Amino acid sequence: MKILDEGNIPFARPGRHRRVLLADVLDYQEQRRSQRRRGLDELTEESGLYGN
């Protein structure tokens, strides 16, 4: 619910419950994966562990 309330995933509220589209959830998941990958790549590069 926090993710929805922060506006990260669009939703509709026709009644008491929130409705989200599967495509929006999958897009959000892919964005988060990409952010994590970039962060890990940056840490790996900064640490010099892999000879970069």
Side-chain angles (χ1 to χ4, degrees):
M1 289 177 33
K2 180 179 175 184
I3 293 169
L4 299 178
D5 290 338
E6 290 174 346
N8 295 320
I9 300 175
F11 67 92
R13 198 173 202 164
R16 295 180 69 191
H17 302 286
R18 292 173 174 91
R19 305 281 188 230
V20 297
L21 296 176
L22 177 59
D24 292 334
V25 174
L26 296 176
D27 287 344
Y28 176 78
Q29 286 179 329
E30 185 55 36
Q31 289 172 6
R32 294 289 295 157
R33 276 190 205 108
S34 295
Q35 289 172 351
R36 279 195 301 274
R37 266 188 240 122
R38 281 194 304 273
L40 290 173
D41 288 346
E42 288 174 17
L43 286 173
T44 301
E45 192 173 308
E46 288 175 9
S47 71
L49 288 176
Y50 295 102
N52 292 336

